[in-house]
Amino acid sequence: MEFIKKNLKWFGIGGCVLALISVFLPYISMKATAYGLKISESASLFEANESWVIIVCLVVAAVLIFFKQKIFSLIPLGITLSMLVLYVIDDIEQMKEFEELYGSYAKVY
């Protein structure tokens, strides 16, 4: 327990760096194959218009954690979390439309 308390700052900064990397990676892929036709779609947060807000919030949170302002770092982390939830909800709706369009041929990964 003492190890975690001693290195909490670095765990927080590491979490922000991992979240920052994940912004650029696809988090959902959809594929459909029917009659020799292959269709593939994927979504990442970097494709969104407001992705710069997420990137700035994660950098600000990492800086605040580094300077031991843990309470204030919750503000940009909360903004990031709420934006992520909204994007995932929107992508789930798009995934349902994809499945309705291609029916049983569609697979979501």
Side-chain angles (χ1 to χ4, degrees):
M1 191 66 154
E2 190 66 33
F3 174 77
I4 293 174
K5 286 182 181 180
K6 196 174 188 182
N7 295 311
L8 190 60
K9 172 173 76 171
W10 299 111
F11 287 129
I13 292 171
C16 288
V17 169
L18 286 176
L20 191 61
I21 291 169
S22 71
V23 168
F24 299 99
L25 300 174
Y27 64 92
I28 189 168
S29 294
M30 298 169 275
K31 296 180 182 180
T33 304
Y35 308 111
L37 180 67
K38 294 181 181 180
I39 299 170
S40 176
E41 300 237 356
S42 64
S44 72
L45 293 173
F46 190 68
E47 296 170 355
N49 292 334
E50 297 86 14
S51 63
W52 62 272
V53 175
I54 294 174
I55 294 169
V56 168
C57 284
L58 288 171
V59 170
V60 168
V63 169
L64 288 173
I65 291 170
F66 181 77
F67 289 113
K68 298 183 180 180
Q69 302 293 323
K70 295 173 189 149
I71 298 298
F72 294 117
S73 69
L74 293 177
I75 295 169
L77 291 174
I79 293 169
T80 302
L81 181 64
S82 62
M83 290 183 72
L84 291 175
V85 168
L86 292 175
Y87 284 136
V88 169
I89 289 171
D90 183 49
D91 286 335
I92 287 173
E93 291 173 5
Q94 289 179 1
M95 180 181 64
K96 288 179 183 176
E97 290 174 9
F98 186 85
E99 287 179 337
E100 288 175 7
L101 183 63
Y102 296 106
S104 62
Y105 300 108
K107 291 184 180 178
V108 178
Y109 300 97

